[in-house]
Amino acid sequence: MCGIVAYIGDRTAFPILMKGLQRLEYRGYDSAGISLFNGGAKTYKCQGKVKDLQHLTNNQDVSGTVGMGHTRWATHGEPSDNNAHPHASMYGKFYVVHNGIIENYAHLKKELIQRGYSFVSETDTEVLANLIENIYLEEKVTAELAVRLALTRVVGAYGLVIVCADIPDALIAARKGSPLVIGVGEKEYFLASDAIPIVEYTDEVIYLQDEEVALISRDGLDLKTLNNDSISPHVEKINLSIDRIDKNGYNHFMLKEIHEQPSTITDTFRGRMAADESKFFLGGIMDVLPKLMGAKRIVMIACGTSWHAALVGEYLFERYARIPVEVEYASEFRYRNPIVYEDDLIIAISQSGETADTLAAIRQVKGSGATILGICNVAGSSLSRETHAGVYTHAGIEIGVASTKAFTSQITVLTMMALLLGSKRKTLSQDDYAMLIHEMAQIPAKIEEVLQKESKIKAIASIYKDVTNTFYMGRGLLFPVALEGALKLKEISYIHAEGYPAAEMKHGPIALIDEKMPVIALAIDDSSYDKMVSNIQEVKSRKGKVIALVTRGDKVIGKMADHIIEIPKCHEAVSPLLAVIPLQLLSYHIAVMRGCDVDQPRNLAKSVTVE
Ligand code: F6R
């Protein structure tokens, strides 16, 4: 949420900043801005996207080898030119870009107003800029100390890059809660909210940790805690290729990411499945396996799409490992004073590994003695650092704001974990274990087959693109997939969509069915099939339109439904991985036909680092 980029070195900063902002735009896109330092400071910022900023800077002086940029997802103050970052302090001594929220900004602002400060924006960031400046001017300390002193007064989360006009050849970076990565080059440094804008310049990075402050000049980097303790920076190599962050000929990242799923799921398996498909190895959790096997209860914590993956996990762990599972929205769990026991297993699931509520939830249970595992896509993310053990999903960078490949990789990991635990606990026979691994191994090829249905799905999309409401219904393992299908549609096409367990329809929602209401029914050949057939009939009797997802060769549902989309036959344990693909494609094509910005849907941003 919000993207920060900054540069110091010998190159012209402007193109690096603009390219970086384009790469980070998925984190927020309601305004954008840059400041360049070349003698004095020049700031260009505006409401809108990076392309609007590009337009604004045409024919302007964009010289300078030090600079910072920001692409915003509004929290305090509506999207506007004034609220766009960077923010300058009142006397022009400090320039700040910020990702996060200063929770006590109102109190600090009041204090600053009493000291004569006035404000030009409604943001919490401008308050911070003025607070730093006020300390700097009144206490006559260095810029770096003024930053540290100011941050000790701040409640909230921040990823920050700051320039003091008196030392314009230095960047000050700080982090608490919101990620910040420093790319290390030859007498140059690249700063960004994630590694994506950095990889084309260097593969050496430092992940700033909470409450660390870095003073960065061309000659080096001085890293400290807020309390002035020196830290030696830990430089890591990142393994991220540029083609992973390009569209590779697709019109949108989302479509590219949908089509990548056969290979991303293969990447999730890689090195984790025995060649003879007889067992899984999950290196990340082997050390804690005895604790996992003895767990009395599993609590899965996540938000959004990751929460849907957790619901799939619940079915699988209960069915195959016979351990009771509770699935919690991180944002609800953390405020409930939850009861957590030492022999609980907590599994936090997050694509980004930076979702504020998910991180806060695991921090809250840390003292309980429970084992905390992370399932996460981003190496080096906060979640991966703050859990006892975990498994990376290896889906590669997901740039489309609507999650697709991360979801299927999360489910792949959860399925592997559930089956592995089931086999170790002997709640799953070795024959069934091997049979299910074999089923999983076939999934990438079967997804390829589902992707071949794209033109049919596109034709269905063209029929329903103008509807205002939709239902998705499924049972068992496909109920979470119904929720996920509805979320995909609503978030990128702005059509109201609801997912329901099919049997719940008659407890209320069926009242909404009429000839205008499309119902997407997930009715594959599984243990709920007969019941789903009845549920489809109930919809048809009320003149609803049914788009049914069925197993190839189904002879029954085709006669009732208005449209069918066939998927290959598979074991129901792995069916979510196939069933979600047509739903992703349907949402994508409907959104494109409605002229929506698929990769950057309104009001949203990737990586929700605010609570
Ligand atoms: C929806 C979507 C979001 C995320 C949610 C959690 O397509 O992407 O619902 O799933 O914001 O994000 P992570 O998984 O990064 O914790």
Side-chain angles (χ1 to χ4, degrees):
M1 218 155 237
C2 296
I4 291 177
V5 61
Y7 175 75
I8 182 165
D10 290 330
R11 309 186 207 208
T12 304
F14 178 71
I16 297 171
L17 300 181
M18 292 306 286
K19 202 167 185 187
L21 289 181
Q22 274 154 5
R23 297 229 189 267
L24 287 178
E25 203 167 23
Y26 73 101
R27 301 178 70 91
Y29 32 83
D30 56 44
S31 56
I34 50 167
S35 290
L36 297 159
F37 303 91
N38 188 10
K42 292 171 298 281
T43 296
Y44 305 101
K45 56 183 191 171
C46 59
Q47 181 179 350
K49 299 203 169 185
V50 177
K51 66 176 175 359
D52 300 302
L53 177 65
Q54 187 82 51
H55 194 247
L56 181 74
T57 51
N58 281 346
N59 305 319
Q60 300 292 330
D61 175 7
V62 290
S63 57
T65 52
V66 180
M68 57 167 70
H70 188 271
T71 175
R72 179 172 186 245
W73 186 86
T75 57
H76 292 65
E78 59 176 17
S80 70
D81 293 355
N82 271 353
N83 289 333
H85 298 215
H87 287 283
S89 57
M90 195 169 89
Y91 298 108
K93 290 284 182 198
F94 287 88
Y95 292 80
V96 180
V97 285
H98 169 215
N99 169 22
I101 288 186
I102 309 298
E103 288 170 14
N104 58 339
Y105 85 104
H107 168 78
L108 296 170
K109 187 170 183 174
K110 206 164 146 201
E111 235 178 63
L112 287 162
I113 289 170
Q114 279 161 4
R115 290 166 185 228
Y117 269 89
S118 59
F119 291 81
V120 293
S121 80
E122 300 151 278
T123 64
D124 49 345
T125 307
E126 191 189 7
V127 174
L128 182 61
N130 283 332
L131 178 67
I132 297 168
E133 182 180 78
N134 187 244
I135 293 172
Y136 177 72
L137 294 176
E138 292 212 341
E139 301 188 23
K140 302 205 181 338
V141 292
T142 63
E144 186 259 354
L145 179 53
V147 169
R148 284 192 288 111
L149 290 174
L151 292 180
T152 56
R153 300 207 44 211
V154 156
V155 178
Y158 50 79
L160 290 166
V161 177
I162 299 161
V163 170
C164 173
D166 294 338
I167 44 161
D169 271 349
L171 299 171
I172 302 171
R175 139 174 201 165
K176 185 179 174 193
S178 304
L180 203 55
V181 187
I182 303 172
V184 183
E186 192 63 37
K187 285 193 169 293
E188 60 181 352
Y189 292 90
F190 306 82
L191 282 74
S193 298
D194 60 43
I196 299 176
I198 294 176
V199 281
E200 60 194 278
Y201 307 106
T202 177
D203 62 354
E204 300 209 322
V205 297
I206 299 164
Y207 291 97
L208 215 58
Q209 308 294 321
D210 276 354
E211 306 209 339
E212 285 182 359
V213 178
L215 178 63
I216 305 163
S217 69
R218 291 180 185 84
D219 296 326
L221 173 148
D222 191 14
L223 193 59
K224 284 182 176 168
T225 63
L226 279 188
N227 297 328
N228 203 23
D229 297 322
S230 287
I231 303 170
S232 41
H234 174 56
V235 181
E236 297 179 35
K237 284 250 181 229
I238 39 166
N239 178 13
L240 176 63
S241 70
I242 274 285
D243 58 327
R244 286 277 186 154
I245 54 181
D246 280 334
K247 285 190 202 143
N248 284 355
Y250 287 95
N251 286 338
H252 296 96
F253 281 110
M254 181 180 179
L255 189 61
K256 176 192 170 213
E257 287 159 4
I258 291 173
H259 279 266
E260 274 177 348
Q261 289 174 105
S263 65
T264 51
I265 290 178
T266 306
D267 289 344
T268 309
F269 286 148
R270 201 177 302 285
R272 292 165 167 172
M273 189 192 286
D276 62 357
E277 294 174 3
S278 61
K279 55 178 127 149
F280 287 129
F281 303 99
L282 288 170
I285 57 167
M286 284 316 187
D287 286 351
V288 288
L289 204 55
K291 281 200 102 173
L292 309 194
M293 285 170 63
K296 293 277 180 303
R297 178 178 76 143
I298 297 174
V299 183
M300 296 193 188
I301 302 173
C303 302
T305 287
S306 299
W307 185 81
H308 296 155
L311 288 177
V312 173
E314 175 180 32
Y315 280 85
L316 294 170
F317 274 79
E318 293 200 337
R319 189 175 297 179
Y320 295 114
R322 304 301 298 152
I323 306 174
V325 179
E326 284 168 29
V327 176
E328 301 275 359
Y329 282 117
S331 55
E332 289 298 314
F333 177 79
R334 54 180 292 213
Y335 293 114
R336 217 180 48 223
N337 195 8
I339 301 163
V340 177
Y341 301 106
E342 239 174 87
D343 48 13
D344 280 345
L345 167 62
I346 310 290
I347 303 182
I349 306 169
S350 171
Q351 186 285 128
S352 61
E354 300 294 349
T355 299
D357 280 317
T358 308
L359 292 175
I362 59 165
R363 285 171 192 148
Q364 186 169 352
V365 297
K366 251 189 190 153
S368 65
T371 305
I372 307 173
L373 297 188
I375 296 179
C376 173
N377 196 35
V378 179
S381 61
S382 302
L383 185 74
S384 67
R385 283 183 279 107
E386 295 191 29
T387 41
H388 295 126
V391 182
Y392 282 123
T393 46
H394 294 315
I397 278 193
E398 190 179 62
I399 293 182
V401 164
S403 185
T404 52
K405 63 176 182 172
F407 177 69
T408 46
S409 286
Q410 288 167 342
I411 292 178
T412 303
V413 167
L414 286 161
T415 313
M416 287 195 280
M417 283 174 74
L419 299 183
L420 176 67
L421 269 189
S423 100
K424 297 275 179 206
R425 285 167 55 87
K426 303 205 183 322
T427 47
L428 173 66
S429 75
Q430 289 312 306
D431 285 352
D432 284 348
Y433 184 40
M435 178 273 291
L436 288 167
I437 294 178
H438 181 64
E439 281 284 335
M440 285 205 77
Q442 293 179 30
I443 284 294
K446 288 184 180 174
I447 293 182
E448 293 285 9
E449 290 178 47
V450 179
L451 292 169
Q452 303 298 319
K453 304 275 176 202
E454 185 161 2
S455 52
K456 176 162 194 190
I457 295 167
K458 207 168 160 182
I460 296 173
S462 70
I463 300 171
Y464 293 100
K465 69 179 175 14
D466 295 319
V467 298
T468 43
N469 294 293
T470 48
F471 271 121
Y472 287 70
M473 61 179 191
R475 286 169 173 259
L477 277 152
L478 295 191
F479 159 54
V481 176
L483 293 178
E484 175 61 8
L487 178 62
K488 286 293 88 97
L489 186 69
K490 73 183 109 177
E491 69 181 331
I492 61 169
S493 74
Y494 321 137
I495 294 173
H496 171 229
E498 295 206 42
Y500 263 93
E504 276 295 303
M505 293 290 285
K506 41 186 165 310
H507 297 286
I510 203 163
L512 292 167
I513 303 290
D514 61 15
E515 66 284 355
K516 289 199 247 24
M517 177 71 88
V519 178
I520 292 89
L522 309 184
I524 64 163
D525 180 12
D526 62 9
S527 51
S528 309
Y529 179 77
D530 293 339
K531 297 270 187 284
M532 279 303 299
V533 170
S534 308
N535 296 138
I536 290 173
Q537 269 166 340
E538 286 154 15
V539 172
K540 281 316 297 173
S541 315
R542 279 136 191 108
K543 300 195 169 42
K545 298 274 181 276
V546 172
I547 303 162
L549 195 76
V550 299
T551 302
R552 189 188 296 143
D554 186 291
K555 299 267 183 302
V556 178
I557 296 178
K559 297 194 186 101
M560 299 175 222
D562 297 85
H563 314 272
I564 57 162
I565 302 168
E566 290 184 325
I567 62 169
K569 188 161 180 52
C570 65
H571 192 281
E572 71 178 283
V574 295
S575 63
L577 293 167
L578 288 186
V580 75
I581 309 290
L583 308 189
Q584 295 169 343
L585 285 170
L586 186 67
S587 306
Y588 171 80
H589 285 294
I590 288 180
V592 170
M593 287 170 195
R594 288 165 71 92
C596 299
D597 189 343
V598 170
D599 280 337
Q600 295 176 355
R602 70 183 181 205
N603 305 339
L604 293 177
K606 195 105 184 142
S607 189
V608 183
T609 52
V610 295
E611 296 173 11

